[in-house]
């Protein structure tokens, strides 16, 4: 199918472009309305493009999207390489294994899922190795890697929550990132627990953020809010939104 493999007729491409433009316009309007209602600045929109082809990302870039989110390294690395000419900011938002750190730092501006000390160590080593690789190749050094600490907002859940560190680990984890060369502590990230009031959940995240800022006052970013709860996230003070389905539509068929 054209929608899956990124190839198709000019008509299919045009139809997809119109669909993405309409969806993106609608999401941007929601963001503007929510920010106005909460009397807060509009947060940065990160469009999550996992499972969608690079051709969709190219269309979105033409519509002004600069920040793109991915949660699987293999898919993200391939898209980033194919779309290198666009100069996009790639945000890694999925759970990250330590052995993928070297790959991720080649293309990612930020990682939104830093949730344990061993990952901090691996990312620091990976950035150092990437700087050496670039220097040897005569390439410009990369910027420090922005790190968002991901927290589980329902750590007592029987299902194990939706990923992230325990809130009690906030100060130690913040100190680990702040003390690692090549990493920049950007702020915090969380996903509202399933079935919970997102406003209350994001309120808990803001309290965790206060602990993080006590360690690193510049770590003021808050990555919170997806398609179903962006209004609550903006009201709580989110600086970054991670929106996928409302911009891209239903996940494409695989296989």
């Amino acid at each position: 199918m054209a929608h899956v493999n990124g190839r198709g007729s000019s008509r299919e491409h045009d139809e997809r472009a119109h669909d993405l433009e309409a969806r993106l316009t609608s999401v941007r309007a929601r963001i503007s309305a929510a920010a106005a209602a909460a009397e807060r600045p509009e947060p940065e929109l990160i469009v999550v493009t996992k499972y969608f082809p690079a051709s969709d990302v190219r269309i979105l870039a033409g519509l002004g999207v600069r920040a793109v989110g991915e949660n699987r390294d293999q898919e993200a690395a391939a898209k980033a390489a194919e779309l290198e000419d666009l100069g996009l900011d790639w945000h890694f938002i999925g759970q990250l294994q330590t052995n993928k750190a070297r790959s991720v730092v080649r293309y990612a501006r930020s990682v939104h899922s830093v949730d344990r000390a061993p990952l901090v160590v691996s990312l620091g080593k990976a950035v150092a190795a990437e700087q050496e690789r670039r220097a040897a190749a005569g390439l410009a050094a990369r910027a420090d890697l922005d790190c968002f600490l991901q927290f589980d907002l329902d750590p007592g859940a029987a299902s194990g929550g939706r990923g992230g560190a325990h809130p009690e680990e906030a100060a130690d984890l913040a100190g680990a990132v702040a003390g690692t060369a090549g990493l920049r502590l950007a702020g915090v990230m969380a996903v509202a627990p399933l079935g919970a009031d997102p406003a209350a959940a994001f309120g808990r995240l803001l309290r965790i953020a206060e602990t993080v800022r006590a360690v690193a006052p510049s770590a003021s970013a808050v990555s919170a809010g997806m398609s179903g709860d962006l209004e609550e996230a903006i009201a709580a003070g989110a600086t970054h939104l991670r929106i996928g389905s409302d911009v891209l539509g239903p996940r494409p068929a695989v296989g």
Side-chain angles (χ1 to χ4, degrees), residues 153-154 162 190-205 207 224 228-233 235-236:
L153 298 181
D154 190 13
R162 301 190 72 177
V191 179
L194 291 171
D197 174 13
F202 295 142
R204 293 196 294 276
L205 180 60
R207 291 191 289 276
D229 54 24
L230 70 84
E231 285 84 3
E232 290 86 351

Side-chain angles (χ1 to χ4, degrees), residues 12-208:
E12 289 171 331
H13 176 275
D14 290 346
E15 289 176 349
R16 181 58 174 159
H18 287 310
D19 179 48
L20 289 175
E21 182 176 18
R23 289 178 174 276
L24 181 62
T25 298
S26 176
V27 167
R28 284 172 169 164
R30 283 178 64 193
I31 292 171
S32 294
E39 298 184 343
R40 291 188 179 274
E42 289 192 21
E44 179 175 3
L45 170 62
I46 300 170
V47 178
V48 181
T49 56
K50 62 181 180 180
Y51 305 120
F52 288 87
S55 57
D56 279 357
V57 183
R58 191 170 290 278
I59 291 170
L60 289 167
L63 296 170
V65 170
R66 307 308 306 161
V68 180
E70 290 283 341
N71 74 343
R72 298 190 305 174
D73 173 57
Q74 184 175 3
E75 180 180 354
K79 288 180 185 174
E82 180 176 344
L83 303 171
E84 186 176 6
D85 60 297
L86 297 177
L88 299 173
D89 289 329
W90 294 87
H91 297 254
F92 191 85
I93 63 173
Q95 295 301 299
L96 180 58
Q97 297 176 338
T98 55
N99 63 354
K100 297 292 186 181
R102 284 203 176 197
S103 175
V104 167
V105 302
R106 286 197 170 202
Y107 59 83
R109 168 189 164 186
S110 69
V111 173
H112 289 238
S113 49
V114 179
D115 59 358
R116 59 200 187 280
L119 179 57
V120 175
V121 173
S122 294
L123 288 171
K125 291 179 178 178
V127 170
E130 175 64 7
Q131 301 292 35
E132 291 178 1
R133 183 190 73 83
R134 294 190 181 201
L139 301 173
R142 66 153 292 145
D144 287 351
L145 180 71
D146 284 348
C147 293
F148 291 75
L149 306 182
Q150 181 177 0
F151 292 98
D152 185 350
L153 298 181
D154 190 13
S159 63
R162 301 190 72 177
H166 193 286
E168 293 181 355
E169 300 174 297
D172 288 343
L173 199 54
V177 173
T180 301
L183 306 184
R184 188 186 81 86
L185 183 56
V188 299
M189 181 275 225
V191 179
L194 291 171
D197 174 13
F202 295 142
R204 293 196 294 276
L205 180 60
L206 267 292
R207 291 191 289 276
I208 298 169

